[in-house]
Amino acid sequence: RKAAISIHDIMPVTIPGFFKNDKKTDAYRRRYQHDLLRADLVFMTSEYSRNEIVANFKIRTEPVVIPCAPTLPAIAENSVAWDLDKTGDYFIYTGRYEKRKGLDVLVSTFIELHKAGKLKSNLLISGTPDYYSEDFRKLILEGLSMNIVKELGYIPDDELLFLMQKSKALVYPSLYEGVGLPPLEAMNVGSPVITTSCTAMPFTCGDAVMYFKP
């Protein structure tokens, strides 16, 4: 009987301090190593993740990369009404509220640019709010009080598609990604993308986006 496994990424190994202690990190490594040694076929979702697996684990067979495809349609069929600037003068971020996503840098940069009079656009943040630190919570509150940051929470795909298409760009400041699905979705609907040149992002986005150093 043949065994095949699919692995999205191994970020718990590559992100410093992902687990609270070495015991949990070792348990993660042992579990993945066991699966990889018994697998006849290993599927990965990006060249970056493939390279990380090869560098960090023993493998029986060379992993096969099958890139992710976008799931949102390329055209918004039923646009929804949003209380936004009619010119679409906003940037958008969508994804989790996690330290690795660079949201604290994104929000603080927007605040600094607004205070310096160098930016007038708003920042829309789509995703279930989860303030991973007190400093980040304070940054969000400052942005909200200045009326330049708007938290949308979780929104359905058709509404997210509409907002992406109307935005100036998707800004995705992530530091660690196995693939980076939001930029892929944004490119598919014709939204410009501004993202970091970290981990899997160059593999996902190629030369179609604007990169910046974190």
Side-chain angles (χ1 to χ4, degrees), residues 72 75-76 78-85 87-94 122-127 150-171 185-186 189-192:
L72 297 179
I75 300 175
N78 299 309
S79 18
V80 293
W82 284 86
D83 182 20
L84 298 170
D85 189 321
T87 62
D89 191 10
Y90 63 88
F91 293 85
I92 188 170
Y93 164 88
T94 183
N122 290 333
L123 172 63
L124 305 188
I125 301 177
S126 165
K150 297 184 179 181
E151 288 186 295
L152 305 179
Y154 172 81
I155 57 176
D157 286 350
D158 59 339
E159 298 177 5
L160 177 59
L161 171 59
F162 174 76
L163 290 174
M164 279 187 176
Q165 288 182 322
K166 299 297 181 182
S167 71
K168 281 190 169 181
L170 171 85
V171 187
E185 301 284 14
V189 301
S191 172

Side-chain angles (χ1 to χ4, degrees), residues 11 36 40 44 63 87 97 99 107 113 117 148 171 181 186 204 209:
M11 283 189 291
L36 286 166
D40 299 287
M44 307 295 298
T87 62
Y97 283 44
K99 182 70 175 176
V107 176
L113 292 174
I148 62 174
V171 187
L181 286 174
T204 298
V209 307

Side-chain angles (χ1 to χ4, degrees), residues 91-92 164 167-173 180-196 201 205 208-212:
F91 293 85
I92 188 170
M164 279 187 176
S167 71
K168 281 190 169 181
L170 171 85
V171 187
Y172 200 69
L181 286 174
L184 183 65
E185 301 284 14
M187 289 189 294
N188 186 52
V189 301
S191 172
V193 173
I194 305 170
T195 188
T196 56
M201 300 317 304
C205 300
V209 307
M210 178 182 290
Y211 292 106
F212 65 91

